[in-house]
Amino acid sequence: MKQMIIRWSWPDWVVFGIRIVWWITQVIGLCRNYTNELPMPLWVAIALSFVPFSIPFLLQQFHLRWYLISEIVLSGGFVIFLNLYSLSNVWGFIPIGFVIGILSINKSSRWTAFLSIGVVPFIVCSVTGKDWTEILFNVMLNYGIVFTLGYAFQLAILAHNQGRIIREQNRILRQHVVQIEQMTLIEERNRLSKELHDTIGHTLTSIIMGMESLRPAVTGDHLERLDALLDSSRNGLDEVRKHLHQMSMSSLHASFTSSLQKLVNKFQDTTGVEVKFRTMGDEYSVPNQIKLALYRCLQEALTNAARHGQATSIQVQLHFESKQLRIQIQDNGKGAEQLLPGFGLSTMKERMLELSGQMSVHSDPDEGTVVLCTVPRHENLQSKIRIVLVDDQQLIVDSLRMILDEQEDLQIVGTAENGKAAIDLCEQVHPDVILMDVRMPEMDGIEALKVIKEKWPDLRVIIMSTFSEVEQAVTVLQNGAVGYLLKSIQPKELIETIRLIHMGGTSITQEIAEQVFEEMKQQSLRLMEGEDL
């Protein structure tokens, strides 16, 4: 009961005020006009007057139809009873008629007009001895006017409330549209940034690596021109990186918590809905893909709570847990027994599923709605491919690191400058894949390959060479390498090759693949001929 009264709007208080004034008026009339003709003591009559006031009031909170019936029967009957003993007048039911008119807005309740305007006034007038003319043209007419005023009053209230709801929803929609435009712009800029990185950035990196690999074969003036080209390419790559960084700058690149706090504050200022935001646990780095997904989900949940749930208060909790990231949005809106799967909820669910997460919604009438979105922590989305880079040219190592570090499923766990250092490094970090050069000081790639495959037969080794040499390729493949690639390989092709090899495949650079297979076939034939002899 207390919760219901707290939720009353001003029309509810108007109705309550009219009824309590009516009851006080009846009590005063009893006290002033009490006579011994009344078949009960005064205090019993006053106690009896509390029945038509309290019972309809209680029923009003639960069921409108039963309230209207009780109001007409109890309040009307009490007024008839007082008029029977001349303790009231024919207008004693007027305030109740106004209240019934207010609450009879539904079509199913319009039968109350006949009882309030016709039956009750007729009986009151009959017990007081009024003639037909006065009953029809005075009493019933005035009761009809009062009932109509109450009905019109409720229509005005409904029109006012609908106008207010429409204005609030328009304001929420405008705010929602602005945020969608901002998020769409951020996503598009991130997409363009990634596309430029995967094309121009990787192309320049490949050019630099290719020119650097040609350095030993270039002499004289050509070496100076090569150095000039390398400097120009590196400067161009630095410019590309700078522009990509500027393009990808957005509010979501800051702290994830501050990004959501900014969204909540703006929503609260725009809609007037109170939003409390809390974080639980220690914040850690969140990938942009997850940031965007949870940001959009929070945005949609806030809009639904204010627009459809008509919430006045929303609580948002962001939990940084060891294995997952969880955001919970709970409102005090009207809720629903069954939520229809609209476009917004479907989109939120799809975003979560794309990230191996999930979304759930719990709602009950008058209990609000709870939206829960969970996403596995980034490290748990998939196991990364652990890679060791082995090359005596630091520029090649740095370039490969730059290409591979951009991939979420690839992780550089160490680098080495020769075969011996690579073997020692494998003892420490236990990689999944090794990218290794052939010609290196102290121990070359072929010797290191033999030792590595003897110690770790399941370790996947990819040999990378500056030039395509068939005999060299055959040797490394026979000694256990699962890939032979040129350093001039396209970055995207290199990335896909690493993934393929990690899954159990093999790869040979296309330029010498046929020659390698032919040479291995000839070696096999020679071996068979030697056995026959």
Side-chain angles (χ1 to χ4, degrees), residues 217-228:
V218 179
T219 58
D221 295 338
H222 295 292
L223 183 59
E224 294 181 2
R225 294 181 61 186
L226 180 63
D227 288 336

Side-chain angles (χ1 to χ4, degrees), residues 168-182 262-271 295 298-300 302-304 306:
E168 290 180 355
Q169 290 188 348
N170 285 337
R171 185 170 65 251
I172 293 169
L173 284 174
R174 285 196 298 270
Q175 185 256 357
H176 189 54
V177 168
V178 170
Q179 290 186 347
I180 287 178
E181 289 177 351
Q182 293 175 345
K262 185 177 180 181
L263 169 64
V264 165
N265 292 342
K266 189 171 183 180
F267 179 86
Q268 187 169 240
D269 294 339
T270 305
T271 63
Y295 190 96
L298 174 59
Q299 181 186 60
E300 187 68 33
L302 290 175
T303 302
N304 287 341

Side-chain angles (χ1 to χ4, degrees), residues 187-197 244 247:
E187 289 179 337
E188 185 63 17
R189 291 174 66 180
N190 287 339
R191 185 188 68 79
L192 289 175
S193 174
K194 188 175 186 302
E195 287 294 326
L196 289 175
H197 179 276
L244 291 180
M247 181 178 291

Side-chain angles (χ1 to χ4, degrees), residues 205-487:
T205 301
S206 299
I207 291 173
I208 293 172
M209 292 174 61
M211 287 191 294
E212 192 67 34
S213 65
L214 293 174
R215 182 186 292 275
V218 179
T219 58
D221 295 338
H222 295 292
L223 183 59
E224 294 181 2
R225 294 181 61 186
L226 180 63
D227 288 336
L229 288 173
L230 281 169
D231 290 339
S232 178
S233 299
R234 292 189 186 105
N235 292 334
L237 185 59
D238 290 338
E239 288 296 321
V240 170
R241 289 172 178 169
K242 184 187 301 182
H243 288 303
L244 291 180
H245 177 71
Q246 293 174 351
M247 181 178 291
S248 62
M249 289 293 289
S250 71
S251 60
L252 292 182
H253 284 263
S255 164
F256 184 43
T257 301
S258 62
S259 301
L260 297 186
Q261 183 69 66
K262 185 177 180 181
L263 169 64
V264 165
N265 292 342
K266 189 171 183 180
F267 179 86
Q268 187 169 240
D269 294 339
T270 305
T271 63
V273 178
E274 180 186 13
V275 185
K276 296 180 180 179
F277 180 76
R278 293 182 59 195
T279 60
M280 313 290 287
D282 297 328
E283 182 173 1
Y284 45 73
S285 176
V286 179
N288 279 340
Q289 185 182 9
I290 296 179
K291 283 184 180 180
L292 288 169
L294 291 179
Y295 190 96
R296 278 287 180 90
C297 289
L298 174 59
Q299 181 186 60
E300 187 68 33
L302 290 175
T303 302
N304 287 341
R307 183 185 176 194
H308 303 297
Q310 300 177 12
T312 59
S313 177
I314 305 174
Q315 293 185 356
V316 180
Q317 294 183 356
L318 178 63
H319 297 260
F320 289 93
E321 300 174 353
S322 59
K323 294 185 178 181
Q324 66 180 11
L325 185 63
R326 175 163 56 94
I327 187 168
Q328 177 177 309
I329 306 100
Q330 181 174 0
D331 64 67
N332 68 343
K334 60 183 182 181
E337 289 185 3
Q338 185 175 4
L339 292 175
L340 296 177
F343 177 77
L345 290 178
S346 300
T347 303
M348 292 165 66
K349 190 171 183 178
E350 289 174 3
R351 286 179 179 274
M352 293 298 100
L353 291 176
E354 288 175 359
L355 298 170
S356 301
Q358 60 181 354
M359 184 203 75
S360 59
V361 181
H362 306 279
S363 184
D364 292 306
D366 299 323
E367 296 294 334
T369 302
V370 179
V371 179
L372 189 63
C373 298
T374 58
V375 181
R377 191 170 176 179
H378 180 53
E379 296 85 55
N380 299 321
L381 288 177
Q382 57 184 353
S383 58
K384 293 189 175 184
I385 303 174
R386 297 165 55 81
I387 302 171
V388 163
L389 303 178
V390 185
D391 199 303
D392 60 328
Q393 298 184 53
Q394 189 60 40
L395 177 64
I396 301 295
V397 172
D398 293 341
S399 299
L400 288 173
R401 180 189 289 275
M402 188 198 78
I403 294 171
L404 302 180
D405 272 344
E406 294 294 328
Q407 306 303 311
E408 294 184 356
D409 60 335
L410 306 181
Q411 180 182 11
I412 307 301
V413 295
T415 62
E417 59 184 9
N418 57 61
K420 186 176 183 303
I423 295 170
D424 295 337
L425 186 60
C426 289
E427 292 275 7
Q428 302 171 14
V429 299
H430 305 291
D432 300 314
V433 177
I434 298 178
L435 287 180
M436 185 159 56
D437 189 20
V438 178
R439 295 187 176 91
M440 295 179 293
E442 195 167 346
M443 179 184 284
D444 63 24
I446 296 177
E447 290 300 318
L449 172 64
K450 295 177 181 178
V451 176
I452 289 172
K453 295 303 292 184
E454 183 178 350
K455 287 189 172 184
W456 303 284
D458 296 330
L459 187 53
R460 316 291 286 174
V461 180
I462 303 173
I463 297 297
M464 299 192 71
S465 177
T466 303
F467 304 103
S468 53
E469 300 180 17
V470 176
E471 184 177 346
Q472 185 182 82
V474 171
T475 301
V476 298
L477 292 174
Q478 288 177 337
N479 282 279
V482 291
Y484 183 84
L485 308 176
L486 295 180
K487 292 182 180 179

Side-chain angles (χ1 to χ4, degrees), residues 85-101:
Y85 291 96
S86 301
L87 297 176
S88 182
N89 56 53
V90 295
W91 310 113
F93 192 67
I94 279 283
I96 300 301
F98 182 76
V99 170
I100 292 175

